[in-house]
Amino acid sequence: MSEIPRRAWAPRHVAFPLSLDGRGRTAMVDDADYVRGLVEQVLFTAPGERVNRPDFGSGVGRLVFAPTDDALARSTQALVHGALQRWLGDLLRVEDVRVTAVDARLEVVVEYLPLDATAAEDRRTVTVTGGAP
C-alpha cells in the first residue's frame, strides 16, 4: 500500500477580511490564518446578516451594549461554543471558551485545535474584547 504524498506547497486561501497584497492582488493566507479568519467570521457575524445563511454567526457583536455580569458571561460562553461547533466543527475542535465580564467590558477567549493538527502545541487562541473602554 502506498502512502498519500504530502503537499509540497502551502495551501493558500483568500484572506479575511478581504484585502490586497503589496502587488495589488487579492491577499492570500496559509491554513492557520484562514481558520482564524473563519473563527472571527463566526464571532463577528450576527444571525440574519447573511442572506443565504440567516442563522450563521454567533451574535456576540450585539452584546457590546448589554449589561455585563456573570449571567451574560455564561450565556455568551454557551452561545460562542455552540456556534463554533456548528459552523466549524469539521475544521476544528473547540478546546475552551472563556468569557470574562469586568466592569463594562466583555472579553471572549477561544482556544481551538485544528482537526489536521499533529500535536497539542498547534492549539490556537483568538481573543475578542468589547464594551466601554
Side-chain angles (χ1 to χ4, degrees):
M1 186 186 265
S2 64
E3 283 189 39
I4 299 172
R6 294 193 56 92
R7 292 182 266 195
W9 49 274
R12 308 284 287 186
H13 308 277
V14 175
F16 173 80
L18 184 63
S19 60
L20 300 177
D21 65 10
R23 299 178 296 177
R25 298 180 182 171
T26 303
M28 305 298 278
V29 295
D30 61 8
D31 284 344
D33 289 334
Y34 175 69
V35 172
R36 179 184 177 85
L38 292 175
V39 169
E40 290 176 356
Q41 285 182 54
V42 170
L43 291 176
F44 292 120
T45 302
E49 188 174 325
R50 293 195 176 182
V51 175
N52 293 328
R53 287 217 167 136
D55 51 343
F56 179 82
S58 67
V60 170
R62 292 183 294 188
L63 302 175
V64 171
F65 299 107
T68 55
D69 59 9
D70 290 336
L72 177 68
R74 286 190 301 275
S75 63
T76 302
Q77 181 178 6
L79 180 80
V80 167
H81 193 278
L84 289 171
Q85 197 61 36
R86 177 177 183 195
W87 295 108
L88 302 178
D90 58 337
L91 294 175
L92 58 88
R93 183 176 70 231
V94 179
E95 295 284 314
D96 190 25
V97 176
R98 291 184 309 276
V99 179
T100 309
V102 179
D103 296 327
R105 297 181 65 79
L106 192 66
E107 181 179 79
V108 180
V109 179
V110 177
E111 289 185 12
Y112 63 92
L113 190 65
L115 290 182
D116 64 352
T118 57
E121 294 84 38
D122 293 333
R123 181 175 293 139
R124 309 272 189 251
T125 303
V126 174
T127 303
V128 176
T129 304

